[in-house]
Amino acid sequence: MARNKFDIDENLESPFDIRHFRRAMVYIKQQQKPMIIALVLSTLSAAAALSAPLILQHVVDVTIPEKAVLSLLGWSALMLVTIVVSVIFATIRSRIMTRVGQDIISEIRMDLFKHLQELPFKYYDDRPQGKILIRVVNYVNAVSDVLSNGIINFILEIVNLIFIAAFMFAVNVRLSLIILAGLPVFLGIMLIIKTRQRRAWQAVSNKSSNLNAYMQESISGIGVTQIFSREQRNEGIFTGLAANFRKEWITAVRYNALIPFTVDNLATIVTSLIFLVGLLALDPKDVTFGVILAMSSYAARFWQPILNLSNLYNNFINAVSYLERIFETLDEPVTVSDIPGAKELPPVQGDVTFDNVTFAYDPGHNILEDLSFEIKAGESIALVGPTGAGKTTVVNLISRFYNLTGGRILIDGQDISQVTLKSLRSQMGIMLQDSFIFSGTILDNIRYGRLDATKEEIIAAAKTVCADEFIREFEQGYMTEVNERGSKLSQGQRQLLSFARTLLADPRILILDEATSSIDAKTERLLQQGLNELLKGRTSFIIAHRLSTVKNCDRIMYVSDKGIAECGTHDELIARRGFYYRLYTAQKMEA
């Protein structure tokens, strides 16, 4: 559970290896055709640009001494053409790769989102939302350029190096060897810092994730922050997290900066040696001034691909940290899923059986143990008891939001672990404690789980739960736009909309978890009339702390001590004077 804190770094479950990058190649292969075109254009652009020093050498050594004006104009025009061709090809290539990069982003992000939709509740129980969100948005953005332009640029820079080396050796072998003499020094420095550099960027990734998690938590809880005047304290926490991020960022950037610093200095030293050796040590007949100018130009061009490759390496190191996080998310097992050969659950009557059910959120800490009971179709069952006893756990297991530790749950005699999740949940109406409202219209929120519902059916569901009256008070009625989480609505209004959404599905099994906890007494009485009609013929499980709302249920189960401590009608349990009696009496005295 430590990962569910904004100030705890997320350690990777497994170290990065080249197989992760091979996995990323799947997305690259989908863009193979445009990337090949971009590579060809890049090669042509580079070849055109590399011809410029040869033209310069010829002009300095031949054309200018001969004072051939027309020839000079011709060579100048040719150099202009090479520049224009290089720029045009580079521009087209850039546009192609921009589109490729965005397509790769879209594919990775869709795979992540699809996988996150399938992950069980436990995954979200164990992680802050901010640490999940940053992987889908920030990390995918960070790797897209490496997986698109990075691959093309890497190949291009290698080709550039080969071309430049060929041109250099064609001009002068000895000066070419001087240019190559700096490579061993550069490679030695790269080998020394590569491991430290990767670790530094992993630390940046951790601190960025922590900072994002706290930001998301703070925004979600801003109301509580202001109520308790925690602004200054929270600013201190944020400052500390930002300082940690800044510290790790500076460390990582220092490693990055070391590479261009090394390349720039080596290029300067090599260029100086070319002039020194070429002018003082070699025979002027073999090494003309034009040759020295051409070689100094090639020296700069030779070390530019080296610098570009080192920058690509930097970007790769950064991307590795993000790829590790992305693939760690994609590798999260979907523990609650359809088993091979899972059957469609046929239309159910509503019989529910718990057969020696045992469940634990964490190994060794059972919430329920050997729980057994049978519910007949159409019965209404109330689950009551102390907070944390396992009431919500019972209904979550019926919906198969978690896998059982032991035992079976049967619906109409069918083991729910053997049927498809869609066929199971599509026949259940579930209203959880969190009345989540999505951004959009009220109409869209009510029909969220049943897109084929007509407006008349939506209005009928709203009337049943007494939501129609307050909806029509809005100027736009059912077309009123609401914000995420329904911030423009009261908590009671949000619950009524959530109720309408659940009832519109016309489920055979209805689960209401504190469904009326935020509704005033008058509305609750009206709602109860509609509920009484709705519950007829449906199996229903109702969790409520206000016991007055469940008095008329067919059976009341008191959940305690990892099982059902008492079970019976309201009158039977009152006469028994046990757990339920004491709880009911205590609530009446408080009222």
Side-chain angles (χ1 to χ4, degrees):
M1 301 295 281
R3 68 171 71 211
N4 197 29
K5 295 183 66 179
F6 59 79
D7 56 347
I8 299 295
D9 293 341
E10 290 185 292
N11 293 322
L12 290 171
E13 304 300 331
S14 60
F16 178 82
D17 57 51
I18 196 63
R19 287 176 296 178
H20 289 164
F21 198 72
R22 291 198 194 105
R23 289 177 63 180
M25 293 297 291
V26 172
Y27 300 100
I28 297 170
K29 287 180 180 178
Q30 294 173 359
Q31 305 295 327
Q32 189 172 359
K33 184 176 179 180
M35 290 180 75
I36 290 174
I37 295 173
L39 180 60
V40 172
L41 291 173
S42 298
T43 304
L44 294 174
S45 175
L50 287 171
S51 64
L54 287 179
I55 295 173
L56 178 62
Q57 178 195 346
H58 182 81
V59 167
V60 171
D61 288 345
V62 179
T63 307
I64 293 178
E66 293 178 352
K67 298 182 180 180
V69 177
L70 291 178
S71 179
L72 178 62
L73 291 175
W75 285 112
S76 298
L78 181 59
M79 181 173 283
L80 180 62
V81 169
T82 62
I83 294 172
V84 171
V85 169
S86 178
V87 169
I88 290 174
F89 285 169
T91 302
I92 297 174
R93 174 257 190 190
S94 177
R95 291 181 177 179
I96 292 174
M97 292 312 299
T98 297
R99 189 177 298 110
V100 167
Q102 289 303 310
D103 288 343
I104 290 175
I105 284 179
S106 177
E107 289 296 325
I108 296 176
R109 196 165 282 156
M110 282 303 301
D111 285 350
L112 270 172
F113 184 75
K114 180 181 178 181
H115 191 66
L116 287 169
Q117 296 263 71
E118 297 173 350
L119 289 176
F121 278 15
K122 191 176 189 313
Y123 178 81
Y124 298 95
D125 293 340
D126 291 350
R127 290 164 178 80
Q129 295 177 14
K131 290 194 176 187
I132 299 172
L133 183 63
I134 196 173
R135 300 186 181 207
V136 181
V137 181
N138 301 50
Y139 292 175
V140 174
N141 287 342
V143 303
S144 66
D145 194 56
V146 172
L147 297 183
S148 56
N149 278 309
I151 301 297
I152 292 294
N153 287 337
F154 179 80
I155 298 173
L156 175 62
E157 299 303 344
I158 295 296
V159 172
N160 273 345
L161 280 176
I162 295 172
F163 280 1
I164 293 170
F167 277 96
M168 285 192 313
F169 279 94
V171 173
N172 190 281
V173 175
R174 285 175 289 183
L175 293 180
S176 298
L177 293 175
I178 292 175
I179 295 174
L180 295 177
L183 271 180
V185 177
F186 173 75
L187 293 176
I189 292 174
M190 291 290 288
L191 288 173
I192 291 172
I193 70 170
K194 68 173 186 176
T195 301
R196 297 175 184 176
Q197 192 178 20
R198 175 176 174 247
R199 289 175 181 169
W201 281 107
Q202 282 181 340
V204 170
S205 175
N206 284 332
K207 302 309 178 186
S208 174
S209 180
N210 293 346
L211 191 64
N212 195 73
Y214 187 68
M215 277 289 296
Q216 192 276 334
E217 180 181 294
S218 298
I219 292 171
S220 298
I222 190 64
V224 178
T225 295
Q226 294 181 358
I227 288 171
F228 289 96
S229 300
R230 277 265 306 196
E231 294 90 343
Q232 190 171 357
R233 170 64 176 165
N234 288 2
E235 286 173 13
I237 295 173
F238 183 81
T239 299
L241 292 172
N244 289 337
F245 175 78
R246 176 179 176 274
K247 177 183 176 183
E248 299 298 345
W249 175 269
I250 290 174
T251 300
V253 167
R254 281 175 180 166
Y255 284 115
N256 277 18
L258 183 61
I259 295 175
F261 172 80
T262 302
V263 171
D264 288 342
N265 281 280
L266 286 173
T268 301
I269 293 171
V270 167
T271 304
S272 300
L273 287 174
I274 288 173
F275 279 95
L276 182 64
V277 174
L279 293 175
L280 300 179
L282 299 179
D283 189 343
K285 294 180 181 179
D286 297 329
V287 183
T288 64
F289 186 64
V291 169
I292 292 175
L293 282 179
M295 291 303 294
S296 64
S297 177
Y298 281 128
R301 290 171 182 268
F302 178 82
W303 284 99
Q304 187 59 48
I306 296 294
L307 178 59
N308 293 341
L309 285 171
S310 65
N311 288 332
L312 287 171
Y313 177 76
N314 280 340
N315 294 335
F316 175 76
I317 290 295
N318 302 351
V320 162
S321 301
Y322 301 132
L323 277 174
E324 289 170 315
R325 297 300 194 274
I326 291 170
F327 286 130
E328 183 194 37
T329 302
L330 288 173
D331 288 340
E332 279 291 333
V334 181
T335 54
V336 180
S337 61
D338 296 340
I339 65 169
K343 303 175 183 177
E344 293 286 320
L345 181 65
V348 302
Q349 297 300 312
D351 292 334
V352 177
T353 302
F354 272 54
D355 181 14
N356 294 316
V357 168
T358 297
F359 176 76
Y361 291 103
D362 298 304
H365 299 85
N366 290 341
I367 303 298
L368 302 173
E369 284 186 356
D370 297 323
L371 176 60
S372 297
F373 60 78
E374 292 186 11
I375 307 298
K376 296 299 181 182
E379 280 192 291
S380 58
I381 306 299
L383 299 174
V384 302
T387 300
K391 302 184 295 295
T392 298
T393 300
V394 170
V395 295
N396 281 343
L397 294 180
I398 298 173
S399 312
R400 207 181 157 216
F401 289 137
Y402 300 89
N403 287 326
L404 300 180
T405 306
R408 300 184 302 164
I409 297 177
L410 310 175
I411 293 181
D412 290 356
Q414 295 254 16
D415 187 339
I416 64 172
S417 68
Q418 306 297 312
V419 302
T420 64
L421 290 173
K422 184 175 182 180
S423 66
L424 170 66
R425 294 174 185 169
S426 64
Q427 301 190 64
M428 306 182 74
I430 306 167
M431 183 174 172
L432 302 176
Q433 289 173 314
D434 183 15
S435 303
F436 195 94
I437 300 298
F438 297 90
S439 58
T441 66
I442 289 177
L443 188 79
D444 289 337
N445 265 281
I446 295 177
R447 69 178 175 194
Y448 183 83
R450 188 184 156 198
L451 298 179
D452 62 342
T454 65
K455 188 172 182 179
E456 290 72 23
E457 290 173 323
I458 293 170
I459 293 173
K463 285 181 177 179
T464 301
V465 300
C466 305
D468 180 71
E469 183 178 347
F470 86 79
I471 293 173
R472 293 187 183 277
E473 290 177 357
F474 291 116
E475 185 177 347
Q476 300 297 323
Y478 283 84
M479 300 308 295
T480 300
E481 294 281 342
V482 291
N483 297 333
E484 180 186 345
R485 291 192 173 272
S487 58
K488 293 182 178 180
L489 305 172
S490 70
Q491 176 63 24
Q493 289 173 333
R494 291 198 293 271
Q495 279 201 299
L496 290 177
L497 290 184
S498 182
F499 221 148
R501 179 168 61 203
T502 302
L503 303 187
L504 183 63
D506 193 23
R508 299 306 306 162
I509 299 175
L510 188 63
I511 294 174
L512 308 177
D513 190 347
E514 288 295 328
T516 61
S517 61
S518 298
I519 299 175
D520 61 80
K522 178 182 176 182
T523 304
E524 185 180 350
R525 286 193 295 271
L526 294 172
L527 176 60
Q528 196 65 46
Q529 297 173 10
L531 280 178
N532 290 337
E533 291 299 318
L534 180 74
L535 296 179
K536 289 181 179 178
R538 289 183 172 85
T539 305
S540 57
F541 292 85
I542 304 171
I543 298 175
H545 285 100
R546 285 189 291 182
L547 302 184
S548 59
T549 63
V550 297
K551 289 172 60 178
N552 296 326
C553 288
D554 295 322
R555 273 191 279 171
I556 298 172
M557 295 182 177
Y558 189 95
V559 183
S560 180
D561 295 328
K562 305 178 182 179
I564 305 298
E566 290 183 332
C567 180
T569 65
H570 171 76
D571 292 336
E572 290 172 347
L573 294 179
I574 291 295
R576 195 175 299 173
R577 292 179 171 267
F579 296 109
Y580 178 80
Y581 170 80
R582 289 193 290 272
L583 184 61
Y584 182 78
T585 304
Q587 284 194 6
K588 286 195 67 175
M589 292 178 62
E590 290 174 2

